[in-house]
Amino acid sequence: SQKIEQNSEALNIQEGKTATLTCNYTNYSPAYLQWYRQDPGRGPVFLLLIRENEKEKRKERLKVTFDTTLKQSLFHITASQPADSATYLCALGGNTPLVFGKGTRLSVIA
Amino acid sequence: GAGVSQSPRYKVAKRGQDVALRCDPISGHVSLFWYQQALGQGPEFLTYFQNEAQLDKSGLPSDRFFAERPEGSVSTLKIQRTQQEDSAVYLCASSLAQGYEQFFGPGTRLTVL
């Protein structure tokens, strides 16, 4: 069955550093991959979508890479701020419904 | 106008009761999705509508779960004879079409006692 792993449950980094979150998957060939942010008590908020034929996507301080050979996506937040503290979810999509990972809880410490 | 709204935000039910959860998607969004999110987990797909047609209900955990979207806008997720394992946050999302970004509502937190 499809399996998605996000590198760790929690990640603590210092303000100003670059946060790197990992999403690995097996038994799946997604047409695209999405990243969402979720704050406590709220629904996920869409951040970026990257398609299987794209290597990299950027949006402001965010960068996503997608390596279909390694079956991995990396999500980077540069110049991180305490306001970036949240849970980040990766989700795989294609001909089947979106499959979400468990998420990584990021804490940016001032 | 506003984003996706869900009601109620919180629901406490006694085991065996029926509950109905409502979702108001963004106007004009063709696709509507329901997810179940347990504590510390990512959302898990339940069912998908394209307009009023329920195209995929493979994620519904049992025949106690039923969803409808009769006029292609508002959707209701109904859970009959609730069990304790049904306790979770139920999220609704809408999008222009499948494969596009999804806009999520705040969720309904269901607690079954």
Side-chain angles (χ1 to χ4, degrees):
Chain A
S1 61
Q2 301 157 358
K3 191 175 178 183
I4 302 176
E5 286 185 0
Q6 295 195 238
N7 56 325
S8 58
E9 283 192 13
L11 181 65
N12 299 326
I13 64 163
Q14 214 155 13
E15 182 177 10
K17 301 290 185 185
T18 296
T20 298
L21 284 63
T22 306
C23 178
N24 294 296
Y25 59 93
T26 55
N27 298 329
Y28 197 59
S29 295
Y32 57 87
L33 189 148
Q34 300 182 3
W35 282 89
Y36 288 80
R37 168 185 173 140
Q38 188 171 25
D39 291 281
R42 295 176 178 258
V45 174
F46 172 81
L47 296 174
L48 282 167
L49 180 152
I50 186 164
R51 301 196 182 277
E52 59 179 338
N53 59 347
E54 298 175 310
K55 295 292 184 189
E56 182 180 297
K57 209 87 172 275
R58 290 175 186 260
K59 179 182 175 184
E60 297 170 352
R61 293 184 296 112
L62 308 180
K63 184 177 88 170
V64 172
T65 63
F66 192 11
D67 189 325
T68 55
T69 302
L70 291 178
K71 294 187 181 293
Q72 180 182 79
S73 174
L74 298 179
F75 176 79
H76 306 273
I77 306 175
T78 57
S80 60
Q81 305 165 359
D84 295 327
S85 298
T87 295
Y88 291 85
L89 301 159
C90 72
L92 305 181
N95 292 330
T96 57
L98 269 187
V99 180
F100 282 85
K102 288 185 179 182
T104 296
R105 190 172 65 252
L106 174 68
S107 297
V108 181
I109 303 158
Chain B
V4 178
S5 61
Q6 292 186 246
S7 61
R9 289 295 315 276
Y10 303 91
K11 177 70 179 177
V12 178
K14 290 184 180 177
R15 191 163 59 92
Q17 277 185 333
D18 297 349
V19 298
L21 313 180
R22 177 188 168 106
C23 172
D24 278 89
I26 293 173
S27 177
H29 277 193
V30 167
S31 297
L32 185 145
F33 306 83
W34 283 98
Y35 295 89
Q36 181 189 63
Q37 187 173 28
L39 192 63
Q41 304 292 316
E44 286 204 10
F45 170 80
L46 293 176
T47 187
Y48 159 59
F49 289 86
Q50 183 173 299
N51 295 307
E52 69 279 2
Q54 189 175 20
L55 297 188
D56 190 337
K57 54 182 181 179
S58 61
L60 296 176
S62 77
D63 58 7
R64 296 186 296 104
F65 287 70
F66 172 76
E68 60 183 4
R69 193 186 185 197
E71 296 177 1
S73 55
V74 170
S75 177
T76 304
L77 176 67
K78 297 179 180 177
I79 310 173
Q80 297 176 324
R81 305 181 302 282
T82 52
Q83 304 293 315
Q84 284 190 322
E85 62 262 28
D86 300 335
S87 296
V89 174
Y90 291 85
L91 294 164
C92 173
S94 70
S95 68
L96 285 171
Q98 192 173 23
Y100 286 71
E101 63 179 284
Q102 295 187 16
F103 294 83
F104 282 81
T108 294
R109 180 177 296 279
L110 172 65
T111 303
V112 182
L113 303 176

